[in-house]
Amino acid sequence: MKTISLDNYTDKYESLRMERHDGILEVALHTNGNPMIFSKTVHDELGFAFADIAADRENKVVVLTGTGDRFCTDFDPESFKSFNGLGDNITASGWDRTIWRGRHNMRNLLDVPVPMIGVVNGPATVHCELPLLCDIVLSSDTAVFQDASHFGNGVAPGDGIQVAMLLLMGLNRGRYFFLTEQNLSATEALDLGLVNEVLPPEQLMPRAREIAARIAKLPPLALRYARTLLTMQLRQLMDVGVGYGLALEGLSAIDLPNYQA
């Protein structure tokens, strides 16, 4: 694998702000410096950013978080229209690009070869699986978890969130989560094992840095191989589930205008 340095990618991405100290890379997702709005830009950048992070062997631990008082609560469907079409404008070739990008994003997140700490800085109702797929998850006591962008909007949840939540929550709890549009508090997420610690917002990053500093002192190959082993099941399930899931999500999206009519 080609190796790169932080200078090659730290200012490369519009929606990711990155800085590193003592081998600990902090990655904050954002939109114009504000809380992230999940858009085509974010969708386009995530997989490539994770690949760059993975290729930089100076990274010992990665801390992934959001910006401001929430992780992500907004979705920008208009930004995707020129890419894959939506509703009655969707095309097979356009949705094929969505399938490729979705698989690329999930695979590259899980292929980051060092431990990852997810810091949920507030409500995560759009793509909450991103921080939850990290090895250690810290949550603000202000956070809530939901899948607000799929089933309630008439679209099957197939872009990887279904793989993550069914595995993390268990089949019955996971199906209930999606089909009822369940909104989980931080405490409920802790009780279900989705997150490891719940803290006041101002304590999140200090705690993440404390854990990261301890982990970063361990031998590099221990870090890399532990991450590989601990994500093996997730990577296998994502490889199977995301392509198939996004194909079915696309079919449900195509039919949505007929239902609304």
Side-chain angles (χ1 to χ4, degrees), residues 80-154:
F80 286 90
K81 285 191 174 180
S82 62
F83 179 62
N84 56 26
L86 288 173
D88 55 0
N89 297 316
I90 199 168
T91 65
S93 60
W95 197 259
D96 178 67
R97 291 194 294 271
T98 297
I99 293 174
W100 182 89
R101 189 77 79 202
R103 294 181 69 183
H104 179 250
N105 290 347
M106 289 293 100
R107 183 182 295 120
N108 287 356
L109 168 60
L110 294 172
D111 278 349
V112 171
V114 296
M116 296 186 69
I117 300 174
V119 177
V120 187
N121 54 303
T125 57
V126 175
H127 285 291
C128 65
E129 79 279 8
L130 292 173
L132 295 181
L133 285 171
C134 293
D135 306 294
I136 295 172
V137 185
L138 309 180
S139 173
S140 168
D141 56 16
T142 64
V144 293
F145 299 85
Q146 188 183 37
D147 178 31
S149 54
H150 290 103
F151 190 66
N153 291 315

Side-chain angles (χ1 to χ4, degrees), residues 20-257:
R20 184 173 65 207
H21 304 283
D22 300 322
I24 300 166
L25 181 70
E26 296 182 3
V27 181
L29 302 175
H30 69 97
T31 298
N32 298 322
N34 298 309
M36 178 176 67
I37 299 171
F38 198 85
S39 64
K40 179 181 179 296
T41 297
V42 177
H43 196 250
D44 284 352
E45 291 187 341
L46 283 177
F48 291 105
F50 291 136
D52 283 341
I53 291 167
D56 185 351
R57 295 184 71 90
E58 295 300 312
N59 292 324
K60 297 178 181 180
V61 182
V62 176
V63 177
L64 179 66
T65 188
T67 297
D69 61 356
R70 56 193 183 276
F71 183 81
C72 186
T73 59
D74 296 297
F75 173 68
D76 179 13
E78 291 296 319
S79 67
F80 286 90
K81 285 191 174 180
S82 62
F83 179 62
N84 56 26
L86 288 173
D88 55 0
N89 297 316
I90 199 168
T91 65
S93 60
W95 197 259
D96 178 67
R97 291 194 294 271
T98 297
I99 293 174
W100 182 89
R101 189 77 79 202
R103 294 181 69 183
H104 179 250
N105 290 347
M106 289 293 100
R107 183 182 295 120
N108 287 356
L109 168 60
L110 294 172
D111 278 349
V112 171
V114 296
M116 296 186 69
I117 300 174
V119 177
V120 187
N121 54 303
T125 57
V126 175
H127 285 291
C128 65
E129 79 279 8
L130 292 173
L132 295 181
L133 285 171
C134 293
D135 306 294
I136 295 172
V137 185
L138 309 180
S139 173
S140 168
D141 56 16
T142 64
V144 293
F145 299 85
Q146 188 183 37
D147 178 31
S149 54
H150 290 103
F151 190 66
N153 291 315
V155 178
D159 56 8
I161 191 172
Q162 88 283 10
V163 176
M165 301 309 285
L166 290 174
L167 179 63
L168 295 175
M169 298 181 73
L171 286 174
N172 280 3
R173 287 171 173 167
R175 287 181 288 185
Y176 182 87
F177 174 78
F178 287 113
L179 297 179
T180 67
E181 302 174 71
Q182 186 179 16
N183 195 319
L184 295 170
S185 69
T187 301
E188 289 171 323
L190 180 66
D191 290 341
L192 290 172
L194 294 176
V195 306
N196 304 114
E197 298 181 21
V198 174
L199 301 160
E202 66 274 10
Q203 295 181 19
L204 282 175
M205 289 305 296
R207 177 59 174 153
R209 290 168 182 146
E210 175 188 358
I211 295 172
R214 179 183 58 80
I215 293 173
K217 293 177 182 178
L218 296 171
L221 291 187
L223 301 180
R224 300 175 75 84
Y225 295 159
R227 167 72 171 172
T228 298
L229 289 171
L230 296 176
T231 58
M232 184 179 299
Q233 183 182 14
L234 273 168
R235 284 183 281 117
Q236 292 171 340
L237 290 171
M238 284 292 179
D239 278 345
V240 173
V242 177
Y244 181 62
L246 274 171
L248 296 184
E249 182 176 320
L251 287 174
S252 66
I254 289 171
D255 192 55
L256 187 56

